Amino acid sequence: MMNKVFWQGKKVFLTGHTGFKGSWLSLWLQHMGAIVTGFALAPSTSPSLFEEANVAAGMKSIIGDIRDFSAVHAALNESGAEIVIHMAAQPLVRYSYANPIETYATNVMGTVHLLEAIRLSEGIKAVVNVTSDKCYENQEWPWGYRENEPMGGHDPYSNSKGCSELVTRAYRDSYFGSHQQVALASGRAGNVIGGGDWAGDRLIPDMIRAIENNTEVVIRSPHSIRPWQHVLEPLSGYLTLAEHLYTQGQAVVGGWNFGPHDHDAKPVGWIIEQLTGIWGDGAAYRIDTSAATLHEAHYLKLDCSKAHMQLNWQPRWSLSQALVKICDWHKAQLQGADMHQITLQQIKEYENSEGNTD
């Protein structure tokens, strides 16, 4: 697993730091003593984890657009980064159907802009491009996708992430080969959940909003199976991968899956039953069979054998533990707690936990 000492004093350039995953990662890097420069648009939701947990206090936060190459290049140069983690993205499947140009411009050309800025910069050793499990051409297989499976994607979001992977490979092959200093890899994670996510059209945020408004949460696809995992799981994978890229270079470039154990790939209906049960206080849901149908994958799992064997990476929290942590986080937030400290406390609890096999 990752080495906390490694990150002490490391200069990190993190795109997407104002988002849900980016905010968790920003706080974790600060906690470990990294010198973090973030580059992203302003938070897209209100409330947001970035603001609730006062993420900007311990880092340099630059509000900018990944679609603006000049701004990306200038911010990267100014950061003096040794390590780059790219998380800026348009992350929603259903939003991508309504906004395909924005989705491709952000997820594909945003990747091009960052990699081109890296190519023109000096001193960068390790780069992790965070994409998605949905980058794979989905065959609705009952087994997990491996890193050498074909890229694809039916909807604009999934397809744009497959394109981002192809861009990453092209830059690695063309500019960051074995004779170059930069080691470039991609990280592919499953459905990430955790406290502080208020994005639209997502299961956990939809449930939290419904609870706060004392209404039922509406479920669209109760039988769809996803590789659910707490946000800290893939983040620990990205950090582990970045460290290996920094210390081992070209030996660990390529794509890497960071997903849960097979038994934690659960249907949406199971998740919502567990969540409403853990929350209590009359939390309830209903299934909406009249919703407009847009194509979404029904069965999707990742094979993470490569990360298990070569990076010694394993999930630490079971799905049941993750759901408890989410409820704990949001109940604390509703009670007016210091969410900077609550978020850091959950990070420390994760660091001190052991890998799970349950």
Side-chain angles (χ1 to χ4, degrees), residues 90-116:
Q90 190 299 97
L92 302 173
V93 171
R94 292 174 72 85
Y95 183 92
S96 76
Y97 277 105
N99 301 276
I101 294 177
E102 176 187 345
T103 299
Y104 281 103
T106 301
N107 295 354
V108 183
M109 288 310 300
T111 302
V112 173
H113 291 162
L114 180 62
L115 294 180
E116 182 66 7

mmCIF file with all atom_site columns, all heavy atoms in Angstrom, residues 90-116:
data_model
loop_
_atom_site.group_PDB
_atom_site.id
_atom_site.type_symbol
_atom_site.label_atom_id
_atom_site.label_alt_id
_atom_site.label_comp_id
_atom_site.label_asym_id
_atom_site.label_entity_id
_atom_site.label_seq_id
_atom_site.pdbx_PDB_ins_code
_atom_site.Cartn_x
_atom_site.Cartn_y
_atom_site.Cartn_z
_atom_site.occupancy
_atom_site.B_iso_or_equiv
_atom_site.pdbx_formal_charge
_atom_site.auth_seq_id
_atom_site.auth_comp_id
_atom_site.auth_asym_id
_atom_site.auth_atom_id
_atom_site.pdbx_PDB_model_num
ATOM 1   N N   . GLN A 1 90  ? -15.959 16.057 -16.703 1.00 0.00 ? 90  GLN A N   1
ATOM 2   C CA  . GLN A 1 90  ? -17.413 16.070 -16.642 1.00 0.00 ? 90  GLN A CA  1
ATOM 3   C C   . GLN A 1 90  ? -17.791 14.630 -16.320 1.00 0.00 ? 90  GLN A C   1
ATOM 4   O O   . GLN A 1 90  ? -17.668 13.759 -17.167 1.00 0.00 ? 90  GLN A O   1
ATOM 5   C CB  . GLN A 1 90  ? -18.013 16.523 -17.978 1.00 0.00 ? 90  GLN A CB  1
ATOM 6   C CG  . GLN A 1 90  ? -19.522 16.796 -17.949 1.00 0.00 ? 90  GLN A CG  1
ATOM 7   C CD  . GLN A 1 90  ? -20.390 15.603 -17.586 1.00 0.00 ? 90  GLN A CD  1
ATOM 8   O OE1 . GLN A 1 90  ? -20.783 15.443 -16.425 1.00 0.00 ? 90  GLN A OE1 1
ATOM 9   N NE2 . GLN A 1 90  ? -20.684 14.751 -18.560 1.00 0.00 ? 90  GLN A NE2 1
ATOM 10  N N   . PRO A 1 91  ? -18.277 14.313 -15.100 1.00 0.00 ? 91  PRO A N   1
ATOM 11  C CA  . PRO A 1 91  ? -18.322 12.936 -14.631 1.00 0.00 ? 91  PRO A CA  1
ATOM 12  C C   . PRO A 1 91  ? -19.662 12.223 -14.716 1.00 0.00 ? 91  PRO A C   1
ATOM 13  O O   . PRO A 1 91  ? -19.774 11.099 -14.208 1.00 0.00 ? 91  PRO A O   1
ATOM 14  C CB  . PRO A 1 91  ? -17.935 13.110 -13.147 1.00 0.00 ? 91  PRO A CB  1
ATOM 15  C CG  . PRO A 1 91  ? -18.568 14.403 -12.766 1.00 0.00 ? 91  PRO A CG  1
ATOM 16  C CD  . PRO A 1 91  ? -18.500 15.272 -14.000 1.00 0.00 ? 91  PRO A CD  1
ATOM 17  N N   . LEU A 1 92  ? -20.688 12.813 -15.328 1.00 0.00 ? 92  LEU A N   1
ATOM 18  C CA  . LEU A 1 92  ? -22.031 12.253 -15.234 1.00 0.00 ? 92  LEU A CA  1
ATOM 19  C C   . LEU A 1 92  ? -22.518 11.701 -16.571 1.00 0.00 ? 92  LEU A C   1
ATOM 20  O O   . LEU A 1 92  ? -22.460 12.379 -17.596 1.00 0.00 ? 92  LEU A O   1
ATOM 21  C CB  . LEU A 1 92  ? -23.011 13.316 -14.735 1.00 0.00 ? 92  LEU A CB  1
ATOM 22  C CG  . LEU A 1 92  ? -22.667 13.925 -13.367 1.00 0.00 ? 92  LEU A CG  1
ATOM 23  C CD1 . LEU A 1 92  ? -23.614 15.077 -13.054 1.00 0.00 ? 92  LEU A CD1 1
ATOM 24  C CD2 . LEU A 1 92  ? -22.713 12.861 -12.281 1.00 0.00 ? 92  LEU A CD2 1
ATOM 25  N N   . VAL A 1 93  ? -23.026 10.456 -16.534 1.00 0.00 ? 93  VAL A N   1
ATOM 26  C CA  . VAL A 1 93  ? -23.493 9.791  -17.751 1.00 0.00 ? 93  VAL A CA  1
ATOM 27  C C   . VAL A 1 93  ? -24.698 10.511 -18.343 1.00 0.00 ? 93  VAL A C   1
ATOM 28  O O   . VAL A 1 93  ? -24.710 10.882 -19.521 1.00 0.00 ? 93  VAL A O   1
ATOM 29  C CB  . VAL A 1 93  ? -23.837 8.314  -17.459 1.00 0.00 ? 93  VAL A CB  1
ATOM 30  C CG1 . VAL A 1 93  ? -24.535 7.681  -18.667 1.00 0.00 ? 93  VAL A CG1 1
ATOM 31  C CG2 . VAL A 1 93  ? -22.585 7.532  -17.102 1.00 0.00 ? 93  VAL A CG2 1
ATOM 32  N N   . ARG A 1 94  ? -25.741 10.710 -17.547 1.00 0.00 ? 94  ARG A N   1
ATOM 33  C CA  . ARG A 1 94  ? -26.969 11.284 -18.083 1.00 0.00 ? 94  ARG A CA  1
ATOM 34  C C   . ARG A 1 94  ? -26.773 12.744 -18.504 1.00 0.00 ? 94  ARG A C   1
ATOM 35  O O   . ARG A 1 94  ? -27.355 13.201 -19.489 1.00 0.00 ? 94  ARG A O   1
ATOM 36  C CB  . ARG A 1 94  ? -28.104 11.132 -17.072 1.00 0.00 ? 94  ARG A CB  1
ATOM 37  C CG  . ARG A 1 94  ? -28.520 9.672  -16.883 1.00 0.00 ? 94  ARG A CG  1
ATOM 38  C CD  . ARG A 1 94  ? -29.535 9.491  -15.782 1.00 0.00 ? 94  ARG A CD  1
ATOM 39  N NE  . ARG A 1 94  ? -30.848 9.978  -16.122 1.00 0.00 ? 94  ARG A NE  1
ATOM 40  C CZ  . ARG A 1 94  ? -31.772 9.272  -16.789 1.00 0.00 ? 94  ARG A CZ  1
ATOM 41  N NH1 . ARG A 1 94  ? -31.493 8.037  -17.201 1.00 0.00 ? 94  ARG A NH1 1
ATOM 42  N NH2 . ARG A 1 94  ? -32.958 9.774  -17.042 1.00 0.00 ? 94  ARG A NH2 1
ATOM 43  N N   . TYR A 1 95  ? -25.929 13.482 -17.791 1.00 0.00 ? 95  TYR A N   1
ATOM 44  C CA  . TYR A 1 95  ? -25.608 14.858 -18.184 1.00 0.00 ? 95  TYR A CA  1
ATOM 45  C C   . TYR A 1 95  ? -24.923 14.872 -19.547 1.00 0.00 ? 95  TYR A C   1
ATOM 46  O O   . TYR A 1 95  ? -25.133 15.781 -20.353 1.00 0.00 ? 95  TYR A O   1
ATOM 47  C CB  . TYR A 1 95  ? -24.707 15.488 -17.123 1.00 0.00 ? 95  TYR A CB  1
ATOM 48  C CG  . TYR A 1 95  ? -24.370 16.941 -17.370 1.00 0.00 ? 95  TYR A CG  1
ATOM 49  C CD1 . TYR A 1 95  ? -25.152 17.954 -16.821 1.00 0.00 ? 95  TYR A CD1 1
ATOM 50  C CD2 . TYR A 1 95  ? -23.263 17.308 -18.131 1.00 0.00 ? 95  TYR A CD2 1
ATOM 51  C CE1 . TYR A 1 95  ? -24.853 19.295 -17.042 1.00 0.00 ? 95  TYR A CE1 1
ATOM 52  C CE2 . TYR A 1 95  ? -22.951 18.649 -18.355 1.00 0.00 ? 95  TYR A CE2 1
ATOM 53  C CZ  . TYR A 1 95  ? -23.740 19.636 -17.813 1.00 0.00 ? 95  TYR A CZ  1
ATOM 54  O OH  . TYR A 1 95  ? -23.438 20.960 -18.037 1.00 0.00 ? 95  TYR A OH  1
ATOM 55  N N   . SER A 1 96  ? -24.123 13.838 -19.810 1.00 0.00 ? 96  SER A N   1
ATOM 56  C CA  . SER A 1 96  ? -23.385 13.803 -21.079 1.00 0.00 ? 96  SER A CA  1
ATOM 57  C C   . SER A 1 96  ? -24.311 13.650 -22.282 1.00 0.00 ? 96  SER A C   1
ATOM 58  O O   . SER A 1 96  ? -23.988 14.110 -23.377 1.00 0.00 ? 96  SER A O   1
ATOM 59  C CB  . SER A 1 96  ? -22.353 12.668 -21.062 1.00 0.00 ? 96  SER A CB  1
ATOM 60  O OG  . SER A 1 96  ? -22.950 11.389 -21.255 1.00 0.00 ? 96  SER A OG  1
ATOM 61  N N   . TYR A 1 97  ? -25.458 13.009 -22.086 1.00 0.00 ? 97  TYR A N   1
ATOM 62  C CA  . TYR A 1 97  ? -26.418 12.900 -23.181 1.00 0.00 ? 97  TYR A CA  1
ATOM 63  C C   . TYR A 1 97  ? -26.943 14.273 -23.578 1.00 0.00 ? 97  TYR A C   1
ATOM 64  O O   . TYR A 1 97  ? -27.153 14.570 -24.768 1.00 0.00 ? 97  TYR A O   1
ATOM 65  C CB  . TYR A 1 97  ? -27.602 12.015 -22.762 1.00 0.00 ? 97  TYR A CB  1
ATOM 66  C CG  . TYR A 1 97  ? -27.360 10.536 -22.916 1.00 0.00 ? 97  TYR A CG  1
ATOM 67  C CD1 . TYR A 1 97  ? -27.123 9.727  -21.807 1.00 0.00 ? 97  TYR A CD1 1
ATOM 68  C CD2 . TYR A 1 97  ? -27.390 9.930  -24.170 1.00 0.00 ? 97  TYR A CD2 1
ATOM 69  C CE1 . TYR A 1 97  ? -26.924 8.363  -21.932 1.00 0.00 ? 97  TYR A CE1 1
ATOM 70  C CE2 . TYR A 1 97  ? -27.199 8.563  -24.316 1.00 0.00 ? 97  TYR A CE2 1
ATOM 71  C CZ  . TYR A 1 97  ? -26.966 7.787  -23.199 1.00 0.00 ? 97  TYR A CZ  1
ATOM 72  O OH  . TYR A 1 97  ? -26.759 6.438  -23.333 1.00 0.00 ? 97  TYR A OH  1
ATOM 73  N N   . ALA A 1 98  ? -27.172 15.136 -22.602 1.00 0.00 ? 98  ALA A N   1
ATOM 74  C CA  . ALA A 1 98  ? -27.700 16.475 -22.872 1.00 0.00 ? 98  ALA A CA  1
ATOM 75  C C   . ALA A 1 98  ? -26.608 17.461 -23.273 1.00 0.00 ? 98  ALA A C   1
ATOM 76  O O   . ALA A 1 98  ? -26.899 18.476 -23.919 1.00 0.00 ? 98  ALA A O   1
ATOM 77  C CB  . ALA A 1 98  ? -28.443 17.001 -21.640 1.00 0.00 ? 98  ALA A CB  1
ATOM 78  N N   . ASN A 1 99  ? -25.351 17.171 -22.892 1.00 0.00 ? 99  ASN A N   1
ATOM 79  C CA  . ASN A 1 99  ? -24.257 18.111 -23.117 1.00 0.00 ? 99  ASN A CA  1
ATOM 80  C C   . ASN A 1 99  ? -23.023 17.401 -23.679 1.00 0.00 ? 99  ASN A C   1
ATOM 81  O O   . ASN A 1 99  ? -21.958 17.383 -23.053 1.00 0.00 ? 99  ASN A O   1
ATOM 82  C CB  . ASN A 1 99  ? -23.901 18.807 -21.804 1.00 0.00 ? 99  ASN A CB  1
ATOM 83  C CG  . ASN A 1 99  ? -25.066 19.566 -21.213 1.00 0.00 ? 99  ASN A CG  1
ATOM 84  O OD1 . ASN A 1 99  ? -25.335 20.700 -21.578 1.00 0.00 ? 99  ASN A OD1 1
ATOM 85  N ND2 . ASN A 1 99  ? -25.770 18.921 -20.288 1.00 0.00 ? 99  ASN A ND2 1
ATOM 86  N N   . PRO A 1 100 ? -23.137 16.815 -24.862 1.00 0.00 ? 100 PRO A N   1
ATOM 87  C CA  . PRO A 1 100 ? -22.014 16.042 -25.402 1.00 0.00 ? 100 PRO A CA  1
ATOM 88  C C   . PRO A 1 100 ? -20.795 16.888 -25.751 1.00 0.00 ? 100 PRO A C   1
ATOM 89  O O   . PRO A 1 100 ? -19.660 16.445 -25.548 1.00 0.00 ? 100 PRO A O   1
ATOM 90  C CB  . PRO A 1 100 ? -22.595 15.367 -26.649 1.00 0.00 ? 100 PRO A CB  1
ATOM 91  C CG  . PRO A 1 100 ? -23.752 16.237 -27.045 1.00 0.00 ? 100 PRO A CG  1
ATOM 92  C CD  . PRO A 1 100 ? -24.325 16.753 -25.761 1.00 0.00 ? 100 PRO A CD  1
ATOM 93  N N   . ILE A 1 101 ? -20.990 18.105 -26.272 1.00 0.00 ? 101 ILE A N   1
ATOM 94  C CA  . ILE A 1 101 ? -19.842 18.932 -26.649 1.00 0.00 ? 101 ILE A CA  1
ATOM 95  C C   . ILE A 1 101 ? -19.013 19.278 -25.419 1.00 0.00 ? 101 ILE A C   1
ATOM 96  O O   . ILE A 1 101 ? -17.784 19.148 -25.417 1.00 0.00 ? 101 ILE A O   1
ATOM 97  C CB  . ILE A 1 101 ? -20.298 20.208 -27.393 1.00 0.00 ? 101 ILE A CB  1
ATOM 98  C CG1 . ILE A 1 101 ? -20.926 19.839 -28.743 1.00 0.00 ? 101 ILE A CG1 1
ATOM 99  C CG2 . ILE A 1 101 ? -19.120 21.155 -27.588 1.00 0.00 ? 101 ILE A CG2 1
ATOM 100 C CD1 . ILE A 1 101 ? -21.479 21.032 -29.510 1.00 0.00 ? 101 ILE A CD1 1
ATOM 101 N N   . GLU A 1 102 ? -19.685 19.721 -24.354 1.00 0.00 ? 102 GLU A N   1
ATOM 102 C CA  . GLU A 1 102 ? -18.976 20.025 -23.109 1.00 0.00 ? 102 GLU A CA  1
ATOM 103 C C   . GLU A 1 102 ? -18.255 18.800 -22.572 1.00 0.00 ? 102 GLU A C   1
ATOM 104 O O   . GLU A 1 102 ? -17.117 18.886 -22.092 1.00 0.00 ? 102 GLU A O   1
ATOM 105 C CB  . GLU A 1 102 ? -19.970 20.547 -22.073 1.00 0.00 ? 102 GLU A CB  1
ATOM 106 C CG  . GLU A 1 102 ? -19.332 20.805 -20.711 1.00 0.00 ? 102 GLU A CG  1
ATOM 107 C CD  . GLU A 1 102 ? -20.351 21.148 -19.644 1.00 0.00 ? 102 GLU A CD  1
ATOM 108 O OE1 . GLU A 1 102 ? -21.510 21.465 -19.985 1.00 0.00 ? 102 GLU A OE1 1
ATOM 109 O OE2 . GLU A 1 102 ? -19.992 21.098 -18.445 1.00 0.00 ? 102 GLU A OE2 1
ATOM 110 N N   . THR A 1 103 ? -18.903 17.644 -22.651 1.00 0.00 ? 103 THR A N   1
ATOM 111 C CA  . THR A 1 103 ? -18.317 16.412 -22.128 1.00 0.00 ? 103 THR A CA  1
ATOM 112 C C   . THR A 1 103 ? -17.044 16.049 -22.870 1.00 0.00 ? 103 THR A C   1
ATOM 113 O O   . THR A 1 103 ? -16.005 15.761 -22.258 1.00 0.00 ? 103 THR A O   1
ATOM 114 C CB  . THR A 1 103 ? -19.340 15.266 -22.213 1.00 0.00 ? 103 THR A CB  1
ATOM 115 O OG1 . THR A 1 103 ? -20.488 15.603 -21.428 1.00 0.00 ? 103 THR A OG1 1
ATOM 116 C CG2 . THR A 1 103 ? -18.736 13.957 -21.712 1.00 0.00 ? 103 THR A CG2 1
ATOM 117 N N   . TYR A 1 104 ? -17.080 16.074 -24.210 1.00 0.00 ? 104 TYR A N   1
ATOM 118 C CA  . TYR A 1 104 ? -15.883 15.732 -24.986 1.00 0.00 ? 104 TYR A CA  1
ATOM 119 C C   . TYR A 1 104 ? -14.806 16.801 -24.845 1.00 0.00 ? 104 TYR A C   1
ATOM 120 O O   . TYR A 1 104 ? -13.614 16.482 -24.750 1.00 0.00 ? 104 TYR A O   1
ATOM 121 C CB  . TYR A 1 104 ? -16.245 15.536 -26.461 1.00 0.00 ? 104 TYR A CB  1
ATOM 122 C CG  . TYR A 1 104 ? -16.866 14.200 -26.761 1.00 0.00 ? 104 TYR A CG  1
ATOM 123 C CD1 . TYR A 1 104 ? -18.237 14.071 -26.969 1.00 0.00 ? 104 TYR A CD1 1
ATOM 124 C CD2 . TYR A 1 104 ? -16.091 13.042 -26.832 1.00 0.00 ? 104 TYR A CD2 1
ATOM 125 C CE1 . TYR A 1 104 ? -18.819 12.841 -27.238 1.00 0.00 ? 104 TYR A CE1 1
ATOM 126 C CE2 . TYR A 1 104 ? -16.664 11.811 -27.101 1.00 0.00 ? 104 TYR A CE2 1
ATOM 127 C CZ  . TYR A 1 104 ? -18.027 11.713 -27.300 1.00 0.00 ? 104 TYR A CZ  1
ATOM 128 O OH  . TYR A 1 104 ? -18.594 10.492 -27.565 1.00 0.00 ? 104 TYR A OH  1
ATOM 129 N N   . ALA A 1 105 ? -15.215 18.071 -24.819 1.00 0.00 ? 105 ALA A N   1
ATOM 130 C CA  . ALA A 1 105 ? -14.232 19.153 -24.699 1.00 0.00 ? 105 ALA A CA  1
ATOM 131 C C   . ALA A 1 105 ? -13.469 19.047 -23.383 1.00 0.00 ? 105 ALA A C   1
ATOM 132 O O   . ALA A 1 105 ? -12.255 19.245 -23.327 1.00 0.00 ? 105 ALA A O   1
ATOM 133 C CB  . ALA A 1 105 ? -14.924 20.514 -24.805 1.00 0.00 ? 105 ALA A CB  1
ATOM 134 N N   . THR A 1 106 ? -14.177 18.701 -22.316 1.00 0.00 ? 106 THR A N   1
ATOM 135 C CA  . THR A 1 106 ? -13.550 18.590 -20.997 1.00 0.00 ? 106 THR A CA  1
ATOM 136 C C   . THR A 1 106 ? -12.752 17.306 -20.866 1.00 0.00 ? 106 THR A C   1
ATOM 137 O O   . THR A 1 106 ? -11.570 17.323 -20.467 1.00 0.00 ? 106 THR A O   1
ATOM 138 C CB  . THR A 1 106 ? -14.625 18.651 -19.899 1.00 0.00 ? 106 THR A CB  1
ATOM 139 O OG1 . THR A 1 106 ? -15.349 19.884 -20.005 1.00 0.00 ? 106 THR A OG1 1
ATOM 140 C CG2 . THR A 1 106 ? -13.991 18.539 -18.521 1.00 0.00 ? 106 THR A CG2 1
ATOM 141 N N   . ASN A 1 107 ? -13.376 16.188 -21.199 1.00 0.00 ? 107 ASN A N   1
ATOM 142 C CA  . ASN A 1 107 ? -12.765 14.889 -20.912 1.00 0.00 ? 107 ASN A CA  1
ATOM 143 C C   . ASN A 1 107 ? -11.705 14.455 -21.919 1.00 0.00 ? 107 ASN A C   1
ATOM 144 O O   . ASN A 1 107 ? -10.794 13.711 -21.565 1.00 0.00 ? 107 ASN A O   1
ATOM 145 C CB  . ASN A 1 107 ? -13.853 13.820 -20.810 1.00 0.00 ? 107 ASN A CB  1
ATOM 146 C CG  . ASN A 1 107 ? -14.782 14.052 -19.638 1.00 0.00 ? 107 ASN A CG  1
ATOM 147 O OD1 . ASN A 1 107 ? -14.552 14.949 -18.822 1.00 0.00 ? 107 ASN A OD1 1
ATOM 148 N ND2 . ASN A 1 107 ? -15.841 13.272 -19.556 1.00 0.00 ? 107 ASN A ND2 1
ATOM 149 N N   . VAL A 1 108 ? -11.835 14.913 -23.153 1.00 0.00 ? 108 VAL A N   1
ATOM 150 C CA  . VAL A 1 108 ? -10.845 14.535 -24.173 1.00 0.00 ? 108 VAL A CA  1
ATOM 151 C C   . VAL A 1 108 ? -9.822  15.657 -24.376 1.00 0.00 ? 108 VAL A C   1
ATOM 152 O O   . VAL A 1 108 ? -8.626  15.472 -24.124 1.00 0.00 ? 108 VAL A O   1
ATOM 153 C CB  . VAL A 1 108 ? -11.528 14.174 -25.511 1.00 0.00 ? 108 VAL A CB  1
ATOM 154 C CG1 . VAL A 1 108 ? -10.478 13.715 -26.528 1.00 0.00 ? 108 VAL A CG1 1
ATOM 155 C CG2 . VAL A 1 108 ? -12.570 13.083 -25.304 1.00 0.00 ? 108 VAL A CG2 1
ATOM 156 N N   . MET A 1 109 ? -10.294 16.822 -24.791 1.00 0.00 ? 109 MET A N   1
ATOM 157 C CA  . MET A 1 109 ? -9.348  17.915 -25.026 1.00 0.00 ? 109 MET A CA  1
ATOM 158 C C   . MET A 1 109 ? -8.722  18.413 -23.723 1.00 0.00 ? 109 MET A C   1
ATOM 159 O O   . MET A 1 109 ? -7.588  18.887 -23.719 1.00 0.00 ? 109 MET A O   1
ATOM 160 C CB  . MET A 1 109 ? -10.029 19.058 -25.769 1.00 0.00 ? 109 MET A CB  1
ATOM 161 C CG  . MET A 1 109 ? -10.315 18.743 -27.228 1.00 0.00 ? 109 MET A CG  1
ATOM 162 S SD  . MET A 1 109 ? -8.868  18.098 -28.143 1.00 0.00 ? 109 MET A SD  1
ATOM 163 C CE  . MET A 1 109 ? -7.703  19.447 -27.979 1.00 0.00 ? 109 MET A CE  1
ATOM 164 N N   . GLY A 1 110 ? -9.430  18.281 -22.623 1.00 0.00 ? 110 GLY A N   1
ATOM 165 C CA  . GLY A 1 110 ? -8.821  18.611 -21.340 1.00 0.00 ? 110 GLY A CA  1
ATOM 166 C C   . GLY A 1 110 ? -7.608  17.742 -21.062 1.00 0.00 ? 110 GLY A C   1
ATOM 167 O O   . GLY A 1 110 ? -6.575  18.214 -20.572 1.00 0.00 ? 110 GLY A O   1
ATOM 168 N N   . THR A 1 111 ? -7.716  16.462 -21.395 1.00 0.00 ? 111 THR A N   1
ATOM 169 C CA  . THR A 1 111 ? -6.583  15.548 -21.246 1.00 0.00 ? 111 THR A CA  1
ATOM 170 C C   . THR A 1 111 ? -5.441  15.946 -22.178 1.00 0.00 ? 111 THR A C   1
ATOM 171 O O   . THR A 1 111 ? -4.269  15.961 -21.779 1.00 0.00 ? 111 THR A O   1
ATOM 172 C CB  . THR A 1 111 ? -7.021  14.096 -21.533 1.00 0.00 ? 111 THR A CB  1
ATOM 173 O OG1 . THR A 1 111 ? -8.076  13.732 -20.641 1.00 0.00 ? 111 THR A OG1 1
ATOM 174 C CG2 . THR A 1 111 ? -5.858  13.133 -21.365 1.00 0.00 ? 111 THR A CG2 1
ATOM 175 N N   . VAL A 1 112 ? -5.792  16.280 -23.422 1.00 0.00 ? 112 VAL A N   1
ATOM 176 C CA  . VAL A 1 112 ? -4.769  16.717 -24.381 1.00 0.00 ? 112 VAL A CA  1
ATOM 177 C C   . VAL A 1 112 ? -4.051  17.962 -23.856 1.00 0.00 ? 112 VAL A C   1
ATOM 178 O O   . VAL A 1 112 ? -2.812  18.046 -23.890 1.00 0.00 ? 112 VAL A O   1
ATOM 179 C CB  . VAL A 1 112 ? -5.405  17.014 -25.757 1.00 0.00 ? 112 VAL A CB  1
ATOM 180 C CG1 . VAL A 1 112 ? -4.376  17.629 -26.699 1.00 0.00 ? 112 VAL A CG1 1
ATOM 181 C CG2 . VAL A 1 112 ? -5.980  15.739 -26.374 1.00 0.00 ? 112 VAL A CG2 1
ATOM 182 N N   . HIS A 1 113 ? -4.805  18.921 -23.358 1.00 0.00 ? 113 HIS A N   1
ATOM 183 C CA  . HIS A 1 113 ? -4.199  20.165 -22.869 1.00 0.00 ? 113 HIS A CA  1
ATOM 184 C C   . HIS A 1 113 ? -3.217  19.890 -21.733 1.00 0.00 ? 113 HIS A C   1
ATOM 185 O O   . HIS A 1 113 ? -2.109  20.441 -21.712 1.00 0.00 ? 113 HIS A O   1
ATOM 186 C CB  . HIS A 1 113 ? -5.291  21.120 -22.386 1.00 0.00 ? 113 HIS A CB  1
ATOM 187 C CG  . HIS A 1 113 ? -6.132  21.659 -23.483 1.00 0.00 ? 113 HIS A CG  1
ATOM 188 N ND1 . HIS A 1 113 ? -7.361  22.238 -23.267 1.00 0.00 ? 113 HIS A ND1 1
ATOM 189 C CD2 . HIS A 1 113 ? -5.935  21.711 -24.832 1.00 0.00 ? 113 HIS A CD2 1
ATOM 190 C CE1 . HIS A 1 113 ? -7.875  22.623 -24.429 1.00 0.00 ? 113 HIS A CE1 1
ATOM 191 N NE2 . HIS A 1 113 ? -7.029  22.309 -25.385 1.00 0.00 ? 113 HIS A NE2 1
ATOM 192 N N   . LEU A 1 114 ? -3.618  19.045 -20.785 1.00 0.00 ? 114 LEU A N   1
ATOM 193 C CA  . LEU A 1 114 ? -2.733  18.773 -19.658 1.00 0.00 ? 114 LEU A CA  1
ATOM 194 C C   . LEU A 1 114 ? -1.484  18.018 -20.107 1.00 0.00 ? 114 LEU A C   1
ATOM 195 O O   . LEU A 1 114 ? -0.355  18.368 -19.710 1.00 0.00 ? 114 LEU A O   1
ATOM 196 C CB  . LEU A 1 114 ? -3.471  17.976 -18.583 1.00 0.00 ? 114 LEU A CB  1
ATOM 197 C CG  . LEU A 1 114 ? -2.615  17.650 -17.361 1.00 0.00 ? 114 LEU A CG  1
ATOM 198 C CD1 . LEU A 1 114 ? -2.160  18.915 -16.648 1.00 0.00 ? 114 LEU A CD1 1
ATOM 199 C CD2 . LEU A 1 114 ? -3.357  16.735 -16.404 1.00 0.00 ? 114 LEU A CD2 1
ATOM 200 N N   . LEU A 1 115 ? -1.646  16.999 -20.930 1.00 0.00 ? 115 LEU A N   1
ATOM 201 C CA  . LEU A 1 115 ? -0.488  16.213 -21.364 1.00 0.00 ? 115 LEU A CA  1
ATOM 202 C C   . LEU A 1 115 ? 0.449   17.054 -22.229 1.00 0.00 ? 115 LEU A C   1
ATOM 203 O O   . LEU A 1 115 ? 1.677   16.899 -22.164 1.00 0.00 ? 115 LEU A O   1
ATOM 204 C CB  . LEU A 1 115 ? -0.947  14.963 -22.115 1.00 0.00 ? 115 LEU A CB  1
ATOM 205 C CG  . LEU A 1 115 ? -1.699  13.940 -21.265 1.00 0.00 ? 115 LEU A CG  1
ATOM 206 C CD1 . LEU A 1 115 ? -2.117  12.746 -22.111 1.00 0.00 ? 115 LEU A CD1 1
ATOM 207 C CD2 . LEU A 1 115 ? -0.853  13.466 -20.089 1.00 0.00 ? 115 LEU A CD2 1
ATOM 208 N N   . GLU A 1 116 ? -0.104  17.962 -23.025 1.00 0.00 ? 116 GLU A N   1
ATOM 209 C CA  . GLU A 1 116 ? 0.740   18.840 -23.826 1.00 0.00 ? 116 GLU A CA  1
ATOM 210 C C   . GLU A 1 116 ? 1.511   19.801 -22.914 1.00 0.00 ? 116 GLU A C   1
ATOM 211 O O   . GLU A 1 116 ? 2.700   20.072 -23.140 1.00 0.00 ? 116 GLU A O   1
ATOM 212 C CB  . GLU A 1 116 ? -0.114  19.619 -24.829 1.00 0.00 ? 116 GLU A CB  1
ATOM 213 C CG  . GLU A 1 116 ? 0.666   20.537 -25.744 1.00 0.00 ? 116 GLU A CG  1
ATOM 214 C CD  . GLU A 1 116 ? 1.600   19.819 -26.713 1.00 0.00 ? 116 GLU A CD  1
ATOM 215 O OE1 . GLU A 1 116 ? 1.577   18.566 -26.784 1.00 0.00 ? 116 GLU A OE1 1
ATOM 216 O OE2 . GLU A 1 116 ? 2.369   20.518 -27.408 1.00 0.00 ? 116 GLU A OE2 1
#
